Amino acid sequence: MRNSNTLKVLIFTRDISNNPEKLTIYARITVNGKRAEISLKRYVSVNEWDENRGRLHGL
């Protein structure tokens, strides 16, 4: 019997309303089409985040 479960992980950032120079890092986990978002409780400078690659510069 074939099992067709799916798992996806997306790392993204959101602006901090009281500090426009920092971003909060989030993870969105999708299992079989059901999503959950969690904050990783980590912050990064806007200048250090590579928007196209979805990661920090230099990694």
Side-chain angles (χ1 to χ4, degrees):
M1 178 150 75
R2 191 171 196 147
N3 194 351
S4 62
N5 292 327
T6 61
L7 171 70
K8 296 178 185 177
V9 178
L10 174 69
I11 305 296
F12 65 99
T13 60
R14 286 195 178 141
D15 294 338
I16 300 174
S17 60
N18 60 355
N19 190 347
E21 296 179 8
K22 287 202 171 191
L23 302 169
T24 305
I25 301 176
Y26 283 83
R28 178 182 294 149
I29 301 169
T30 307
V31 178
N32 295 331
K34 295 185 180 183
R35 285 193 274 186
E37 289 183 6
I38 57 171
S39 171
L40 300 180
K41 305 219 186 297
R42 299 285 186 253
Y43 304 96
V44 64
S45 170
V46 172
N47 297 335
E48 295 175 344
W49 187 256
D50 186 349
E51 187 70 31
N52 294 329
R53 293 185 176 185
R55 62 184 184 187
L56 291 172
H57 285 287
L59 294 178

